[in-house]
Amino acid sequence: MTIKDTPEEWEIRATDTPFVGNKTSVRTDDVVMPDGSVAARDYQVHPGSVAVLALDEEDRVLLINQYRHPVRHKLWEIPAGLLDVPGENPLHAAQRELYEEAHVKADDWRVLTDVYTSPGGCDEAVRIFLARGLSDAEGKRFEAEHEETDMESARVPVDELVRRILAGDVHNNCLVVGVLSLVAARAGDGLQALRPAGAPWPARPFEA
C-alpha cells in the first residue's frame, strides 16, 4: 500500500451557495455516498493561503502576534496570507506576506510542506515555505489596518518553539506544522532535500 493522498470526486446531485463573503463563501453539496444514499455536506470555499517559516542565522523563527476573533485569542503565528488572485504564484504571495507583515526579505526559499487546514469543513489549502537568508526589506513599510495595527513580532529559537507546541502554549496550525516539519526535515534527509520553491501544487495550480 502506498501512503499518498489521491484526488477523487464523488457525484454531486445539487449544490447551493447560501452565503458569499468578501474572501470566502459557504457551499452546500448533495453528495452521493458509496451506498447510493445522498447526504448534504456544508463547507467553506476558500481561495487558499501561503505561510512563511522564516529562519534566521541564530536558528530563530520570526513570529507575529495577532488577534483572531473566531477563537477569541491573540495567537503567535508565522507570517501568512490569502492567495488573493486566482492562479497567483504562491512564492510571490509568500514573499509579499513576509514583506508586509515583518518588513523582511529572504534569499533562500523552499517548500516546507503543503496542508489542508480543515478538510472536513473547508477546502483551504496552505503551502508553507521555509525562508532563510533573512535581511531587512527596503522601501516603505506596509500600512497596517484592522487587527494588524496591534501586531507584535518576536524571534524565537526552534527548540523553544517545539517545547511550547508540545506544552499546548501555541496553537496556530501553520506555526505548529511548520516548526515540526522543519525539525523532521533536519532529522531526515536534510533541508537541502526539500522541494524547490516553484514545485507544483495540485491543490492550487499556478503559473511559474
Side-chain angles (χ1 to χ4, degrees):
M1 180 183 295
T2 301
I3 305 300
K4 183 177 181 180
D5 297 340
T6 55
E8 183 169 313
E9 187 168 353
W10 292 359
E11 180 186 352
I12 298 172
R13 291 280 174 84
T15 187
D16 183 36
T17 306
F19 171 78
V20 177
N22 186 33
K23 296 292 185 181
T24 67
S25 59
V26 174
R27 182 177 297 163
T28 300
D29 289 341
D30 292 337
V31 185
V32 179
M33 299 290 120
D35 64 358
S37 63
V38 177
R41 292 291 177 261
D42 304 321
Y43 59 100
Q44 182 185 19
V45 179
H46 195 285
S49 306
V50 292
V52 184
L53 194 146
L55 188 67
D56 70 14
E57 294 180 353
E58 298 179 39
D59 208 40
R60 300 177 302 175
V61 177
L62 191 159
L63 302 182
I64 58 174
N65 188 241
Q66 186 171 349
Y67 176 65
R68 294 300 189 183
H69 184 70
V71 296
R72 309 306 199 267
H73 272 70
K74 288 191 76 173
L75 300 181
W76 285 104
E77 307 178 350
I78 57 177
L82 298 175
L83 290 168
D84 294 311
V85 181
E88 182 178 15
N89 187 306
L91 174 60
H92 298 164
Q95 291 169 332
R96 180 188 68 235
E97 293 301 329
L98 185 61
Y99 173 84
E100 291 182 355
E101 295 192 348
H103 204 63
V104 166
K105 62 181 181 179
D107 294 330
D108 185 277
W109 291 81
R110 293 179 182 272
V111 175
L112 190 52
T113 191
D114 299 325
V115 295
Y116 289 116
T117 55
S118 184
C122 180
D123 71 351
E124 181 184 16
V126 179
R127 169 156 282 189
I128 304 175
F129 289 90
L130 173 65
R132 293 177 293 172
L134 307 185
S135 60
D136 292 336
E138 300 174 354
K140 185 179 178 181
R141 292 190 69 93
F142 179 73
E143 187 172 341
E145 61 179 1
H146 305 309
E147 291 90 344
E148 294 177 348
T149 59
D150 192 36
M151 204 158 58
E152 302 174 83
S153 65
R155 296 195 182 199
V156 182
V158 172
D159 290 345
E160 174 67 15
L161 281 175
V162 172
R163 288 192 291 270
R164 294 292 181 183
I165 289 168
L166 298 180
D169 293 333
V170 293
H171 307 86
N172 175 263
N173 59 349
C174 290
L175 170 59
V176 172
V177 172
V179 168
L180 297 185
S181 294
L182 172 69
V183 173
R186 284 174 165 172
D189 295 331
L191 300 184
Q192 297 307 312
L194 292 171
R195 287 172 291 163
W201 189 18
R204 292 294 185 273
F206 63 93
E207 294 186 12

